Amino acid sequence: MEQVPVPDADAFRAFRQRCQDGGWQRDCGGLAVCLEPPPPGCAVHQLKCRIDIPDVPAGTVYDVLHDSEYRREWDTNVIDSHDIARVAANANVGYYAWRCPKPLKNRDVVTLRAWQVEDGYHTIINFSVKHPKYPPRKDLVRAVALLMGYLVRSTGPSSCSLTYLAQVDPKGSLPKWVVNKVSQYLVPQVLKRLHKACVQYPAWKQQHGVHVKPWLYPEQSKLPVLALAELALQHAASLENIDESGLAEARDESGDHGGAEN
């Protein structure tokens, strides 16, 4: 099996550069979107979305991105989200399942997640791995995250910018309306919802283990330790493709449109 690496300093620098490069299209709400065509040898688009957050410090946004318990409070698209095991002081393996726009099948991923705080940047990187106890489920389509993550850049004592980057193979032939909806509506809406959640987080955290932040204090982690040798990189070619290219967009009376991955 191909060895699973924990991202090193070079990987974090490369991720930060990818977040900052590209041609951005900005709207009037403080959001910018960049949808880049697949690079040579790859069939998966790269989506980036950036939001300016004028009223929340970078550290708080970083905490919200890590706090899986709080995520269930604000992420209306989540089906299941939990950490599985720790592989390093700054890395763990986790599971995330989410609702997709109807009538598409819902998706899930198993990812290695690594993080770093350095030079005013808070960085989180994810990529798909195989875990022996988390095989693909029959009721969900197992997606593959080639690269996915967040870059939080401090812009002041109480302000920051947040960039979300995703290069995810949904394992299926999707209709064009899905790509357009994800890039133009769903991901921007998730980031706006995340901003609101960040504003409310300090008050919530006061009632939910205010000092418990294992992403900052690894000694607090209660996750079991997992050897990297137990994992393997998840390649898209080993998973089944689902053809959903002929599906038309469904009207969702609940107003819940489904959303972006973790």
Side-chain angles (χ1 to χ4, degrees):
M1 294 189 296
E2 192 172 352
Q3 186 175 1
V4 175
V6 173
D8 58 13
D10 289 341
F12 281 103
R13 280 193 293 269
F15 180 82
R16 289 199 300 266
Q17 190 63 50
R18 285 181 69 167
C19 285
Q20 294 165 342
D21 290 343
W24 294 87
Q25 296 180 346
R26 180 171 291 273
D27 69 10
C28 59
L31 277 160
V33 175
C34 178
L35 182 62
E36 298 179 353
C42 179
V44 182
H45 288 75
Q46 176 177 277
L47 171 65
K48 295 185 290 187
C49 188
R50 186 172 65 224
I51 184 171
D52 296 325
I53 301 178
D55 52 356
V56 182
T60 300
V61 176
Y62 184 67
D63 289 346
V64 170
L65 292 170
H66 274 291
D67 198 323
S68 58
E69 182 182 357
Y70 186 57
R71 187 174 193 114
R72 290 186 285 271
E73 298 288 326
W74 66 267
D75 186 351
T76 59
N77 302 313
V78 65
I79 297 172
D80 185 11
S81 176
H82 61 270
D83 298 326
I84 299 170
R86 181 163 50 101
V87 296
N90 70 322
N92 60 29
V93 178
Y95 175 83
Y96 182 74
W98 71 96
R99 297 180 184 88
C100 290
K102 294 180 180 180
L104 302 181
K105 291 185 177 181
N106 296 328
R107 260 69 175 176
D108 70 351
V109 289
V110 177
T111 61
L112 186 146
R113 175 185 181 100
W115 55 89
Q116 181 194 70
V117 179
E118 185 177 272
D119 298 333
Y121 292 97
H122 298 67
T123 311
I124 300 173
I125 298 175
N126 298 265
F127 57 87
S128 281
V129 294
K130 293 181 183 179
H131 187 291
K133 295 183 179 179
Y134 285 79
R137 291 168 46 172
K138 293 182 179 180
D139 59 328
L140 297 168
V141 177
R142 177 61 50 87
V144 178
L146 304 178
L147 181 65
M148 184 168 62
Y150 299 91
L151 177 66
V152 187
R153 181 176 64 87
S154 178
T155 56
S158 300
S159 63
C160 64
S161 70
L162 168 65
T163 301
Y164 169 71
L165 182 150
Q167 190 176 17
V168 178
D169 187 338
K171 287 313 298 172
S173 300
L174 299 180
K176 187 175 181 180
W177 65 261
V178 173
V179 177
N180 293 335
K181 188 170 186 176
V182 168
S183 61
Q184 297 175 14
Y185 178 79
L186 294 180
V187 171
Q189 285 300 312
V190 168
L191 292 191
K192 290 178 180 178
R193 197 181 308 141
L194 173 61
H195 178 194
K196 183 177 179 180
C198 290
V199 172
Q200 299 171 344
Y201 181 70
W204 180 91
K205 189 62 174 171
Q206 285 290 331
Q207 306 299 321
H208 298 82
V210 62
H211 299 299
V212 179
K213 298 181 179 181
W215 51 91
L216 297 178
Y217 312 110
E219 65 276 7
Q220 294 180 347
S221 177
K222 297 181 180 180
L223 292 173
V225 176
L226 182 70
L228 285 172
E230 295 294 315
L231 302 172
L233 289 175
Q234 177 68 73
H235 293 291
S238 65
L239 294 170
E240 181 183 3
N241 271 310
I242 307 296
D243 186 2
E244 297 173 300
S245 58
L247 295 178
E249 184 173 3
R251 179 178 176 84
D252 189 346
E253 299 295 342
S254 69
D256 185 358
H257 299 277
E261 55 279 346
N262 183 27

